[in-house]
Amino acid sequence: MTHTGGGNEPAAAAQRGRIAMRRSFRLDADACTHVGRRRQHNEDAFLLTEHLVAVADGLGGHTGGDLASAIAVESLHSSNAGADPESLRDAYAATHRDVQERAAEDPQLAEMCTTMCALALDPAGTVVLANVGDSRIYRCSDNRMTQVTWDHNWENEYMRMGLSAAAARRMEGAGSLSRVIGAFPEPCEVDIWSFDAAEGDRYLLASDGLTRELPDHEIAALLAAGTPPATAAGRLVNEANDRGGNDNITVIVADIAVAAPRRLP
């Protein structure tokens, strides 16, 4: 019997050892929006793409709130922003200009503005979050939910300056937003956070129509129920409506999942 390949076995084994698999991540995300029980128009908007999601909340009581939120998410989408801080900062700056330029075309839209929070995923393993305003992002990891963003209102700004919570609450205009997209002439300041992508982590992006109706512990319980993103998003919106639905409600639930592995070149 002739033995074949004897001299090549070590080389073949080494070659097999070099065939490694690169881990890649994807978003399993879904959104739900509702006008609520008190408002006539939905001034929220959302963006849901393969690697970029966002929630924008046009300011109620300001003419063009629905237009501002729509422009914001469309501008963010068009920016092709990636999962890196500078890319998202540049995209938010462009969005701010786009809202302002549209407002300049009509005096009645002079004060139109919106909040916007966003999540971008780099499939190689990074999650980058961005926020302006009081729409929120929560992160559920290791069976614990934490609020990543902080609300950009003057009460919180005063506390960051050193005032006590009680003193900050008494300040004139404490409940007003301190940062928005549009309206203010200067470029908006964007808060950015980065996390390592981890399989099983869940993120929630939400307008304040949700967070003003539901306390954090109830939001956490609904997110931790093990339901798919679409089911969790729908339940959150329904619960907020059952508690009053005093504002438009928009949520995105985004899970970090592992994509099909790819061979290293």
Side-chain angles (χ1 to χ4, degrees):
M1 182 173 68
T2 303
H3 181 66
T4 60
N8 294 326
E9 281 185 355
Q15 180 64 30
R16 286 196 299 271
R18 286 198 294 269
I19 299 175
M21 307 303 280
R22 174 178 289 149
R23 206 175 197 208
S24 181
F25 295 89
R26 63 179 175 82
L27 281 181
D28 181 9
D30 218 319
C32 186
T33 188
H34 196 279
V35 69
R37 300 190 183 280
R38 301 288 184 267
R39 299 292 180 92
Q40 298 300 312
H41 305 286
N42 194 342
E43 296 181 315
D44 290 355
F46 66 86
L47 175 66
L48 197 64
T49 71
E50 185 178 7
H51 295 127
L52 180 64
V53 299
V55 167
D57 179 1
L59 266 64
H62 290 68
T63 301
D66 54 346
L67 179 59
S69 63
I71 292 172
V73 297
E74 177 57 34
S75 177
L76 181 64
H77 189 201
S78 300
S79 73
N80 295 315
D84 71 85
E86 289 310 309
S87 176
L88 278 174
R89 283 196 180 93
D90 290 345
Y92 266 68
T95 294
H96 185 72
R97 290 193 299 270
D98 288 344
V99 173
Q100 285 191 324
E101 288 173 4
R102 178 64 181 87
E105 297 173 4
D106 185 345
Q108 293 185 356
L109 300 176
E111 294 185 354
M112 80 172 184
C113 51
T114 184
T115 72
M116 187 165 66
C117 60
L119 178 156
L121 171 68
D122 179 348
T126 304
V127 175
V128 182
L129 311 176
N131 182 56
V132 169
D134 62 355
S135 293
R136 292 182 183 176
I137 303 178
Y138 293 86
R139 179 176 182 246
C140 300
S141 183
D142 297 326
N143 298 314
R144 181 184 175 206
M145 185 185 84
T146 55
Q147 180 180 334
V148 179
T149 60
W150 61 280
D151 296 348
H152 293 150
N153 57 43
W154 282 107
E155 179 180 342
N156 284 333
E157 298 280 6
Y158 290 136
M159 285 191 289
R160 289 167 69 87
M161 294 175 192
L163 270 65
S164 68
R169 200 172 299 118
R170 291 194 299 267
M171 296 291 287
E172 184 177 354
S176 300
L177 290 181
S178 56
R179 303 186 204 175
V180 292
I181 292 172
F184 302 155
E186 65 273 10
C188 58
E189 183 180 356
V190 187
D191 285 344
I192 303 283
W193 300 261
S194 294
F195 296 94
D196 291 334
E199 183 179 13
D201 280 3
R202 169 168 280 191
Y203 290 84
L204 170 68
L205 290 74
S207 63
D208 66 350
L210 175 76
T211 56
R212 290 191 179 188
E213 302 292 358
L214 296 183
D216 282 4
H217 71 274
E218 293 188 18
I219 293 174
L222 288 166
L223 289 174
T227 54
T231 304
R235 288 180 178 175
L236 287 164
V237 169
N238 289 340
E239 192 64 29
N241 268 324
D242 288 345
R243 300 297 178 86
N246 290 292
D247 199 353
N248 309 143
I249 311 155
T250 301
V251 304
I252 293 176
V253 178
D255 291 345
I256 306 299
V258 175
R262 297 179 291 123
R263 286 187 175 186
L264 287 170

